[in-house]
Amino acid sequence: MGQHNNAAPETFQGIGVSPGIAAGVPKWLRKEAAAVIERREIDSSEVAAEVNRFQAAVAETKRQIEQVRASVERDIGEEEAKVFDAHLSFLADPAYVGEIERKIQSERLNAEAACQDVTDQTREMLASLPNEYLQARADDIRDVGQRLVQCLMGGTGQTDVSGWDTHTILVADELMPSDLSALPKNVVGLITAKGSKTAHTAIMARTLGLPAVYGLGDAIHEISEDEAVILNGDAGTVVVHPMEEDVQAAMEAAARRGEELRRAREAAQQPAETTDGVRIDVFANIGGLQDLDAALANGADGVGLFRTEFLYLENDHWPTEEEQYEVYRKALEAFGTRPVVIRTLDIGGDKALPYAALPSEENPFLGLRAIRYCLQQVDVFRTQLRALLRASAHGTLWIMFPMVETLDELRAARKHLEECRQQLANEGYAMAEHIPVGIMVETPAAAVTADILAKEADFFSIGTNDLTQYTLAADRGNADVANLYQPSHPAVLRLIHQTCKAAQAAGIPVGMCGEFAGDPEFTELLVGLGLQELSMSASFIPSVKGKVKATERAAAARLADEVVKLSSPEEVRAYLQQR
Ligand code: PEP
Ligand code: MG
């Protein structure tokens, strides 16, 4: 492993985008490729040949991307492979390819430079748009542009991996999806200067189980290819000039963690029961079909929250009934007899949808969001309900309405559902006979009147992300009040307790799908408060199942009775740790 150059170890902070520890020899994927692109004026007699050369590069790039797409589909997944459809569409877009040709012809610029200029312009334009989906396409065009330039310069599009150590940490200014498509097996971690948790490649890294730290900034230049580094994807740190014994310890920790994860995942394939024989369902939260594989691999007993808004956010138009039906059907088929709780559109608040023309509001979180929006935009709502009802024939569907706080809202939503069911039955569609219809409890109003709502809801799922912000009047996304935003605040815990008791009295199931549900530190408390189902990001399932198996429900209930009497989140945490 690389030589220690006697400099003192130094730790740099980035963003942990994929958990785990890794130690290895860094390899730069590419260093500012843009700096070496030649720029020259071509003679008018060369123009036709230059355009031909460019067209050949387009054809070769297309061939390479198709190859990459196939290998990603095989090794990572169908959803991840779809990223490359966007890449291919740029190569067929006259506004991009045609513009490069025009630049070669009218400005007599060599193809590499024309390609770089048009790519940069398009990228800047996309990045400036107020839509996350289109912003993400800015990364796509960069990836395509880089590949085109590489082809023009005679590159093969393959990274030269000869001489890479058995433990390689890939270092890059920024990673593109195609960089991860054919990653050699000896790559054990990723470090980048730029990028965020939501980058396509961050999601791919999590799927691949590769620890990654992004956003290291200029500190990335402290990394030398001659010396090993240690990265911690949980803490978001990178240690340069580490001591040899620390590198060894990190490698051992990584191996142990890999083995523990493998065992925990294996154990998680079975349902979890408490020591006194109470089954607690541990479900996955998903944002789309791309999350299904991880949910299944981690042993999800079902899906507790399918956030359908991503289907809308990823599109530049209202998803049609048919488009939605296909997605819901695939999710239901993947889980068969296990329940899939699909939440109807939760838009508004911090989730803006450009084509929805949402009103500009002073307090969007207190405004026209979730079920409130859907009950006003009936066509949007009914399109989704029809798609859901049709998909119900293919699995075990539960439908959940977000942000319900009055019986009137629940009744109105149910009425639309019933009317859609009638319509579809008349049109001859098959549907499940019984579809449980529940609500999210995510406002103090819903929690306090849970006994009333329980009479007409078939199940509850407590959304602690919102319940916490509304109870404590602390915006969930505002770093300045992050210290106040604590789901373990006794005020929130009492509302959870009250909701669970109301559900039990009415004989309906109650679960939780906010982030709090996935924190193993609180599993025993949550079981004690009365939750029968916990739903979370797939990677937390194995450890939460492990905690459930170590919990005695009766003792947990006594614990919960004590904890709700405490006065602060700090006291709650101290009390739990002391046990
Ligand atoms: C919640 O509010 O806890 C929840 C799960 O919904 P979202 O995070 O999508 O608002
Ligand atoms: Mg919510």
Side-chain angles (χ1 to χ4, degrees):
M1 181 97 3
Q3 295 299 304
H4 184 252
N5 72 0
N6 294 328
E10 212 174 337
T11 303
F12 294 100
Q13 185 71 49
I15 309 161
V17 302
S18 179
I21 293 169
V25 177
K27 284 287 168 198
W28 272 91
L29 184 63
R30 106 174 46 82
K31 255 183 185 168
E32 282 137 34
V36 297
I37 290 179
E38 181 196 13
R39 174 173 293 267
R40 64 187 168 88
E41 193 174 327
I42 53 174
D43 196 80
S44 58
S45 63
E46 291 177 88
V47 168
E50 193 68 357
V51 170
N52 281 344
R53 194 167 75 85
F54 172 66
Q55 286 170 346
V58 171
E60 170 58 16
T61 302
K62 183 163 176 275
R63 193 193 61 76
Q64 286 180 8
I65 296 177
E66 279 165 353
Q67 222 172 38
V68 166
R69 192 198 185 288
S71 71
V72 169
E73 184 166 9
R74 186 188 61 232
D75 300 337
I76 308 182
E78 190 190 326
E79 279 302 308
E80 281 82 0
K82 280 194 187 152
V83 170
F84 299 98
D85 291 337
H87 291 199
L88 289 168
S89 72
F90 279 118
L91 291 178
D93 184 352
Y96 178 59
V97 175
E99 179 62 14
I100 298 172
E101 286 180 9
R102 195 201 54 75
K103 236 180 162 57
I104 298 172
Q105 286 159 339
S106 63
E107 296 180 24
R108 294 224 231 112
L109 202 55
N110 64 320
E112 287 87 347
C115 186
Q116 186 186 29
D117 288 357
V118 176
T119 304
D120 286 351
Q121 279 160 17
T122 316
R123 180 167 178 249
E124 275 165 32
M125 186 273 291
L126 287 168
S128 70
L129 295 173
N131 173 331
E132 262 181 48
Y133 170 74
L134 293 172
Q135 283 169 4
R137 300 211 65 193
D139 285 345
D140 294 334
I141 191 89
R142 200 172 116 119
D143 203 348
V144 172
Q146 260 169 13
R147 202 175 266 278
L148 265 173
V149 170
Q150 272 169 9
C151 281
L152 284 164
M153 292 167 65
T156 59
Q158 307 279 325
T159 309
D160 178 11
V161 297
S162 54
W164 281 21
D165 197 271
T166 45
H167 288 82
T168 296
I169 307 258
L170 199 60
V171 183
D173 189 41
E174 202 172 0
L175 283 169
M176 302 293 146
S178 59
D179 297 331
L180 299 192
S181 63
L183 218 50
K185 289 269 177 288
N186 51 8
V187 171
V188 294
L190 312 171
I191 302 175
T192 69
K194 299 181 196 150
S196 71
K197 261 195 174 142
T198 52
H200 282 318
T201 57
I203 296 165
M204 288 163 93
R206 291 196 286 274
T207 309
L208 291 165
L210 263 186
V213 174
Y214 282 9
L216 208 64
D218 287 341
I220 202 151
H221 297 294
E222 302 294 324
I223 297 176
S224 144
E225 290 201 342
D226 301 329
E227 208 188 351
V229 293
I230 301 174
L231 77 84
N232 183 328
D234 301 88
T237 53
V238 173
V239 182
V240 300
H241 321 307
M243 303 304 291
E244 183 58 33
E245 56 266 34
D246 292 339
V247 173
Q248 281 307 326
M251 287 172 81
E252 283 161 23
R256 264 199 315 276
R257 186 167 166 141
E259 181 54 23
E260 273 166 23
L261 200 66
R262 196 191 57 70
R263 281 214 213 109
R265 277 185 170 188
E266 208 173 276
Q269 296 305 319
Q270 299 305 320
E273 276 188 7
T274 60
T275 56
D276 44 352
V278 181
R279 169 151 173 188
I280 304 293
D281 283 318
V282 184
F283 285 0
N285 289 351
I286 65 169
L289 298 179
Q290 72 279 4
D291 298 333
L292 283 177
D293 288 348
L296 291 165
N298 283 288
D301 300 317
V303 169
L305 169 64
F306 183 159
R307 289 183 163 100
T308 58
E309 56 272 16
F310 290 108
L311 204 63
Y312 294 73
L313 291 165
E314 283 163 6
N315 269 304
D316 55 6
H317 61 272
W318 290 110
T320 62
E321 178 181 319
E322 209 54 39
E323 285 168 341
Q324 295 190 54
Y325 162 73
E326 280 303 319
V327 174
Y328 305 149
R329 179 176 63 79
K330 285 184 186 152
L332 286 160
E333 280 173 352
F335 275 85
T337 55
R338 290 178 272 179
V340 175
V341 182
I342 304 189
R343 176 173 80 181
T344 58
L345 179 60
D346 182 5
I347 208 70
D350 59 345
K351 296 172 197 146
L353 195 58
Y355 55 85
L358 288 160
S360 110
E361 297 173 305
E362 202 136 307
N363 290 301
F365 271 120
L366 305 182
L368 191 63
R369 62 172 291 207
I371 197 67
R372 303 171 180 183
Y373 177 82
C374 285
L375 290 176
Q376 284 204 5
Q377 301 296 321
V378 173
D379 290 346
V380 170
F381 192 36
R382 289 172 78 113
T383 301
Q384 183 172 38
L385 294 177
R386 282 178 57 98
L388 286 168
L389 286 163
R390 283 175 53 196
S392 72
H394 302 278
T396 311
L397 172 66
W398 294 26
I399 293 178
M400 178 158 77
F401 299 126
M403 274 282 286
V404 170
E405 62 176 14
T406 69
L407 265 187
D408 282 349
E409 286 166 336
L410 176 56
R411 285 177 186 157
R414 271 190 181 276
K415 189 158 174 278
H416 285 297
L417 186 65
E418 189 43 44
E419 284 169 9
C420 290
R421 175 191 276 283
Q422 283 301 331
Q423 252 178 16
L424 288 165
N426 293 341
E427 292 167 32
Y429 283 104
M431 287 169 277
E433 251 174 46
H434 176 63
I435 303 170
V437 175
I439 62 167
M440 290 199 64
V441 174
E442 46 189 348
T443 64
V448 169
T449 58
D451 55 331
I452 298 170
L453 293 164
K455 293 195 183 116
E456 298 189 26
D458 298 329
F459 66 93
F460 285 158
S461 185
I462 304 177
T464 43
N465 303 341
D466 277 313
L467 184 62
T468 304
Q469 77 163 346
Y470 292 129
T471 304
L472 301 172
D475 186 334
R476 60 195 267 186
N478 183 343
D480 291 332
V481 291
N483 58 329
L484 293 173
Y485 180 89
Q486 304 273 1
S488 56
H489 190 294
V492 182
L493 298 180
R494 287 184 188 197
L495 290 176
I496 296 171
H497 208 193
Q498 190 170 345
T499 306
C500 292
K501 285 186 189 158
Q504 276 149 17
I508 63 168
V510 55
M512 177 182 285
C513 59
E515 300 307 306
F516 198 36
D519 189 338
E521 201 189 336
F522 295 102
T523 306
E524 185 184 9
L525 174 64
L526 296 179
V527 170
L529 288 169
L531 290 146
Q532 299 150 345
E533 173 251 298
L534 299 169
S535 191
M536 62 206 66
S537 297
S539 56
F540 299 126
I541 292 175
S543 46
V544 168
K545 279 199 174 181
K547 288 281 180 182
V548 167
K549 288 183 200 160
T551 294
E552 186 197 332
R553 165 70 177 263
R558 289 194 294 277
L559 166 79
D561 284 338
E562 292 309 310
V563 167
V564 293
K565 291 182 205 149
L566 299 173
S567 63
S568 69
E570 292 73 30
E571 272 190 24
V572 170
R573 198 163 296 118
Y575 190 90
L576 294 176
Q577 271 164 9
Q578 177 203 322
R579 274 169 65 87

